[in-house]
Amino acid sequence: MKIVKGFRDILPYGSTNSDSSYTWTSITNQLRDVMSSYNFQEIITPVAEYDSTFKTGIGEDTDIVSKEMYEFTLDKDNKETSKNQILKYCLRPEGTAPVVRSLIENSLDKIRSVNKLYYLGPMFRYERSQKGRYRMFHQIGAELIGSNEILYEVEILSLAEKLIKTLEIKNFTFQINSIGNKESLDNIRSAILAFGKKNKNSIDEKDYKILEKNPLRFLDKAIHKYAFKDIPKTIDYIDKESMNRFKLLTKLLDDIKFNYKINNQLVRGIDYYNDLVFEATSSDLGAQDALLAGGRYDTLIQKFGGKSNESIGFAAGIERLILAMNRKNKYESSIDFFIIYKEEETIEESLKLALKLRNLGIKVEIDLERRSFTKQIKLADKSRSKKTIIISKNNLDKALVVVKDMNSGEEDSVNIENNLEFLINQLKV
Ligand code: AMP
């Protein structure tokens, strides 16, 4: 049996193409803690949605929807139909559209006027897999739904930066831009289309098709392959209000010493954005260098049938964040005590002690294979235990065990009937 192409196992001991599950969990816990510190609350939506969620939300002309969605039907009993059409399911390619679907379906916007939500989970895109780009990958994303207050933009950007900094990623850059309101965006699209038409002879056929279908996608993904000068800048097309808003944002970001670069050619390949768009990249990542991306999406909620609700959000790729951490064996699992018995006849008593300590929340391992004393010591070494508890028949008769520090070699005799606290306190040293 083989794993699906572009999908990955995350193994307990790590492997050539992934860190250990322990590293994964430590990192995702840290990311969750950052979300909590900004009082974003987790929303857990299913991995599959009806296709309309993404077709309406992201737009049919985007790469994600037109080429990359895992779609399937399950119509075995003919019940999965709507208006005589077989319903299609999709494995979710991104998190924003499902969050908005859920918010409206569950009237979260009526419970709170501003919802600060985050999600963490697998996403699926049928892309060409390569280092840092997988067909199943994970995103952690934040969505702030219900306000166009500019200070929330500062908060969201600072949250995004905090996620990166928490993992001690060093070489990263934030790029920000404004793409204005709907009319501005139409003007930007026309300007890029006109620019592309003017340069038709220099653009290959495939890219030209992209240009004609979705000029923003051409600007986002293709234009920089060519050595064009004078590529249209969004700043020349955005409305006055958006311009003032963007100026104010940069001032607010300067005030909190947030580092960013303005990139007037930054746009997003997804339909729902307006005004602020941003991206953080890492110079340590090679071709797939985007750590996270996001922006404001004030019209998406209405598209889904909700009342007008201004929103802003971003998504970070967890695999990318881990790659950018650029450290081997990022976190390693260890245990507190390895219990070693000298004589096999004490194995049951040893197990009892292990269970007692585990009940106290202490991480304990014991070899139940009845291996020799020396083999158990080797196992204890391998398990990276901080201390061993050595049990011998002689000592046990007096309710004593020996606790040995694996680093210093120091030993203590401990009475396990009345002094378990001593063991626990030892862990704090
Ligand atoms: P997007 O939803 O395309 O804006 O992507 C947001 C972030 O998710 C990117 O900045 C990447 O960090 C990550 N990402 C997107 N696509 C993939 C993929 N195929 N494999 C791994 N990470 C991805």
Side-chain angles (χ1 to χ4, degrees):
M1 299 298 162
K2 274 181 115 177
I3 191 166
V4 174
K5 193 170 173 208
F7 288 30
R8 297 182 325 145
D9 291 317
I10 301 173
L11 303 173
Y13 321 115
S15 65
T16 45
N17 72 356
S18 97
D19 287 286
S20 68
S21 53
Y22 186 80
T23 296
W24 181 269
T25 308
S26 310
I27 287 170
T28 47
N29 285 344
Q30 287 182 57
L31 298 175
R32 285 178 193 283
D33 286 347
V34 174
M35 288 291 184
S36 289
S37 71
Y38 279 71
N39 198 26
F40 277 69
Q41 283 173 299
E42 186 167 14
I43 179 164
I44 304 172
T45 63
V47 287
E49 297 273 345
Y50 291 125
D51 63 345
S52 51
T53 298
F54 301 108
K55 288 186 175 155
T56 309
I58 308 173
E60 304 228 22
D61 287 340
T62 56
D63 272 1
I64 295 185
V65 171
S66 65
K67 294 200 296 206
E68 297 169 1
M69 276 214 296
Y70 284 85
E71 290 180 85
F72 55 99
T73 52
L74 271 184
D75 200 30
K76 291 186 181 138
D77 50 10
N78 276 328
K79 283 190 183 143
E80 290 284 326
T81 53
S82 160
K83 294 182 196 134
N84 289 332
Q85 267 199 324
I86 297 175
L87 289 176
K88 266 196 194 156
Y89 295 71
C90 297
L91 293 181
R92 61 178 180 200
E94 60 100 58
T96 302
V99 166
V100 170
R101 192 265 313 138
S102 177
L103 175 117
I104 293 166
E105 202 170 355
N106 298 295
S107 305
L108 300 189
D109 50 345
K110 301 208 172 72
I111 300 172
R112 290 202 183 160
S113 62
V114 175
N115 279 280
K116 292 165 71 169
L117 308 171
Y118 85 87
Y119 57 85
L120 190 161
M123 304 294 157
F124 304 84
R125 291 183 197 171
Y126 191 73
E127 292 190 274
R128 200 166 47 79
S129 38
Q130 62 185 90
K131 189 174 178 206
R133 188 159 76 185
Y134 312 103
R135 290 179 174 177
M136 174 177 160
F137 60 99
H138 297 75
Q139 284 182 337
I140 183 162
E143 312 291 354
L144 196 150
I145 301 176
S147 175
N148 74 348
E149 165 60 52
I150 196 144
L151 286 174
Y152 281 134
E153 293 179 12
V154 178
E155 184 172 52
I156 276 278
L157 280 162
S158 127
L159 167 61
E161 186 194 50
K162 181 75 185 159
L163 291 175
I164 297 176
K165 282 190 166 167
T166 295
L167 302 184
E168 293 172 37
I169 294 169
K170 298 262 150 30
N171 303 319
F172 67 89
T173 312
F174 269 84
Q175 291 184 26
I176 63 171
N177 190 25
S178 174
I179 52 175
N181 62 20
K182 200 177 160 307
E183 285 80 54
S184 321
L185 211 50
D186 286 341
N187 293 338
I188 294 167
R189 280 197 193 93
S190 308
I192 297 163
L193 191 61
F195 179 82
K197 281 187 173 157
K198 205 172 73 194
N199 293 286
K200 187 172 181 184
N201 294 340
S202 324
I203 300 172
D204 71 34
E205 208 179 313
K206 201 172 125 239
D207 289 336
Y208 198 77
K209 278 202 179 121
I210 297 178
L211 168 78
E212 284 184 312
K213 219 168 151 192
N214 186 340
L216 288 185
R217 213 175 97 211
F218 178 72
L219 180 61
D220 185 27
K221 293 273 185 277
I223 209 164
H224 303 288
K225 285 198 256 174
Y226 305 92
F228 289 139
K229 287 198 186 105
D230 308 324
I231 299 173
K233 291 191 170 130
T234 54
I235 196 152
D236 297 328
Y237 299 91
I238 66 174
D239 55 287
K240 205 156 174 240
E241 202 186 323
S242 298
M243 184 74 163
N244 290 338
R245 208 184 151 87
F246 191 61
K247 275 192 191 144
L248 178 57
L249 175 68
T250 54
K251 185 191 166 297
L252 291 168
L253 291 176
D254 292 340
D255 285 348
I256 61 158
K257 303 205 164 27
F258 182 93
N259 271 327
Y260 63 88
K261 283 189 181 141
I262 295 174
N263 173 355
N264 283 141
Q265 278 145 0
L266 182 73
V267 291
R268 311 281 303 123
I270 297 177
D271 277 1
Y272 50 64
Y273 289 103
N274 62 280
D275 286 297
L276 175 67
V277 290
F278 61 90
E279 194 172 279
T281 50
S282 158
S283 54
D284 293 334
L285 280 186
Q288 300 304 316
D289 64 351
L291 292 171
L292 59 85
R296 176 164 282 290
Y297 52 94
D298 290 337
T299 52
L300 186 62
I301 315 276
Q302 271 177 317
K303 260 196 189 171
F304 274 67
K307 67 177 174 35
S308 163
N309 238 335
E310 287 100 349
S311 313
I312 178 166
F314 69 87
I318 297 178
E319 286 83 353
R320 298 268 177 93
L321 290 171
I322 295 179
L323 275 173
M325 285 170 74
N326 212 7
R327 272 193 283 138
K328 276 242 163 303
N329 303 328
K330 288 158 185 109
Y331 301 100
E332 279 189 68
S333 147
S334 65
I335 56 173
D336 299 322
F337 292 115
F338 200 105
I339 297 184
I340 297 178
Y341 41 89
K342 273 196 164 150
E343 304 91 355
E344 196 187 315
E345 60 183 303
T346 57
I347 189 171
E348 282 174 30
E349 283 307 310
S350 305
L351 177 59
K352 274 190 204 155
L353 177 62
L355 298 180
K356 209 167 176 182
L357 290 171
R358 285 169 179 165
N359 268 340
L360 296 169
I362 296 171
K363 271 171 92 178
V364 178
E365 184 56 299
I366 175 171
D367 166 49
L368 296 177
E369 304 280 329
R370 302 170 195 271
R371 287 188 179 88
S372 70
F373 183 62
T374 25
K375 281 203 175 135
Q376 289 179 61
I377 291 179
K378 278 191 188 142
L379 277 181
D381 263 346
K382 227 174 149 182
S383 70
R384 300 168 27 87
S385 71
K386 296 176 190 120
K387 304 207 165 168
T388 50
I389 298 177
I390 300 165
I391 295 186
S392 66
K393 173 110 193 39
N394 265 349
N395 276 339
L396 210 54
D397 291 341
K398 292 172 260 168
L400 290 178
V401 298
V402 171
V403 178
K404 183 172 174 181
D405 186 306
M406 298 294 273
N407 281 330
S408 65
E410 222 169 86
E411 293 188 353
D412 279 305
S413 228
V414 179
N415 185 308
I416 48 172
E417 258 163 26
N418 54 26
N419 209 0
L420 271 186
E421 251 178 44
F422 178 83
L423 281 183
I424 299 169
N425 286 336
Q426 281 222 326
L427 295 176
K428 294 180 192 145
V429 182

